[in-house]
Amino acid sequence: MYRFSNTVIGFLNLFTLLASIPIIGAGLWMARSSTTCESFLQTPLLVVGFVILIISLAGFIGACFHVAWALWVYLVIMLFLIGALMGLTVFGFVITSSGGGAAVPGRAYREYHLKDYSPWLRKRIEDPRYWVNIKSCILGSKTCAKVVLWTPFDYLTAEMTPVQSGCCKPPTSCNYAAAAEAAAQEADCYRWSNAAGVLCYECESCRAGVLEDVRRDWHKLSVLNIVMVVVLIGIYSVGCCAFRNAKRAETDYPYGHNRMSKVRPRWDFHWWRWLDDRRHQLY
């Protein structure tokens, strides 16, 4: 039973090794695609896929062939991965603690304001290089296609996603009928246009809606990260046992074997003992 840990680590890493292949394939396929949204995700997918591939390969070789140095590399990378996931989880909870949107009286949807989110997220979303990619994704997904066809009754009763609320309509407070009050309106009211390619894509509310989606997804990812950390800690513990087994195999003294090489006397032990007794009797 002392090699049970090696078997468990071997099977787990064989499974993750096979799972890394479609992840890398998806990243390479996205790299060949011409759409901005898919290429935006290619780098994280490729990094995750290759890291899983390297870890799984080292763990599989070390556990199945009792290669101690491969298991040592596996455990070091696993320790780094556990630490990185824990740090990412804490960081995610800190920067996504604010936000959530504000309720609109008489409406089913909520509206989102950029100032409610963390400075780190605002700095990223306000960078024109990032926003061009994100805006292209929203346009390509046709998120606003249904919303622009809504009736006034739909706006009163239907719910919206954060992106639809921020990008597909002007802020509810805008009043385009009262020209005299135009100076007191939000800046997003002037950025709004009925043109399908413009709408409110340059509004701060649109950026805030994207950040709200990020905040919600990051919370889900953080919960998954916590589960993954617990699982990885369990696998890491089994890997430590497999590493000890590999070290024993290298010393040629497997666990449970007696290290004493002369438990029984040699074949001539009794002969020499008899000769010794005779010598004492004569002298």
Side-chain angles (χ1 to χ4, degrees):
M1 294 295 291
Y2 78 97
R3 298 192 187 278
F4 177 72
S5 58
N6 295 63
T7 305
V8 172
I9 288 294
F11 275 112
L12 287 175
N13 284 283
L14 178 61
F15 174 76
T16 54
L17 180 67
L18 296 175
S20 68
I21 296 175
I23 295 176
I24 296 174
L28 293 175
W29 180 77
M30 288 181 178
R32 292 171 57 88
S33 178
S34 60
T35 59
T36 307
C37 296
E38 292 174 344
S39 62
F40 187 69
L41 298 174
Q42 67 180 351
T43 302
L45 275 177
L46 288 173
V47 171
V48 169
F50 279 111
V51 168
I52 293 176
L53 178 66
I54 294 172
I55 293 176
S56 303
L57 190 61
F60 181 76
I61 293 174
C64 295
F65 299 99
H66 304 287
V67 182
W69 67 266
L71 278 174
W72 183 83
V73 172
Y74 170 76
L75 292 176
V76 169
I77 299 177
M78 280 282 288
L79 189 61
F80 173 78
L81 183 60
I82 292 171
L85 282 176
M86 293 177 65
L88 180 64
T89 302
V90 174
F91 175 75
F93 276 121
V94 169
I95 68 170
T96 60
S97 58
S98 56
V104 181
R107 307 296 173 95
Y109 57 81
R110 303 175 71 88
E111 289 191 339
Y112 307 91
H113 304 282
L114 198 58
K115 60 182 177 62
D116 294 336
Y117 295 88
S118 70
W120 189 89
L121 286 176
R122 292 204 308 267
K123 182 178 179 181
R124 295 300 181 278
I125 203 71
E126 289 173 347
D127 189 330
R129 294 172 300 174
Y130 285 98
W131 185 245
V132 166
N133 292 336
I134 297 171
K135 180 181 174 181
S136 298
C137 290
I138 299 172
L139 286 168
S141 64
K142 299 181 179 180
T143 303
C144 297
K146 294 182 179 179
V147 177
V148 294
L149 300 177
W150 280 5
T151 64
F153 179 76
D154 292 328
Y155 279 100
L156 291 173
T157 59
E159 294 185 357
M160 293 184 183
T161 66
V163 173
Q164 287 176 332
S165 176
C167 304
C168 305
K169 65 170 187 59
T172 308
S173 61
C174 294
N175 186 1
Y176 295 103
E181 300 178 3
Q185 299 191 74
E186 297 182 30
D188 282 350
C189 297
Y190 303 103
R191 300 186 180 105
W192 161 261
S193 172
N194 284 324
V198 180
L199 298 181
C200 213
Y201 293 126
E202 295 299 331
C203 297
E204 288 190 358
S205 62
C206 187
R207 290 174 169 83
V210 172
L211 289 186
E212 179 60 24
D213 265 354
V214 171
R215 190 185 75 90
R216 295 180 182 183
D217 291 341
W218 212 324
H219 279 183
K220 296 176 183 177
L221 181 62
S222 297
V223 174
L224 179 62
N225 284 344
I226 293 173
V227 175
M228 286 297 298
V229 166
V230 174
V231 172
L232 288 176
I233 290 175
I235 296 176
Y236 185 83
S237 301
V238 179
C240 290
C241 296
F243 178 71
R244 287 196 297 268
N245 292 339
K247 293 294 289 184
R248 289 194 191 103
E250 286 185 350
T251 59
D252 294 326
Y253 290 116
Y255 179 77
H257 287 207
N258 197 322
R259 291 174 179 261
M260 297 179 61
S261 60
K262 297 181 180 180
V263 176
R264 297 180 180 179
R266 284 178 21 170
W267 62 273
D268 58 347
F269 171 79
H270 297 289
W271 167 256
W272 289 107
R273 185 176 181 181
W274 181 80
L275 289 178
D276 189 56
D277 291 338
R278 293 294 296 172
R279 188 172 66 252
H280 282 294
Q281 290 176 3
L282 293 176
Y283 299 99

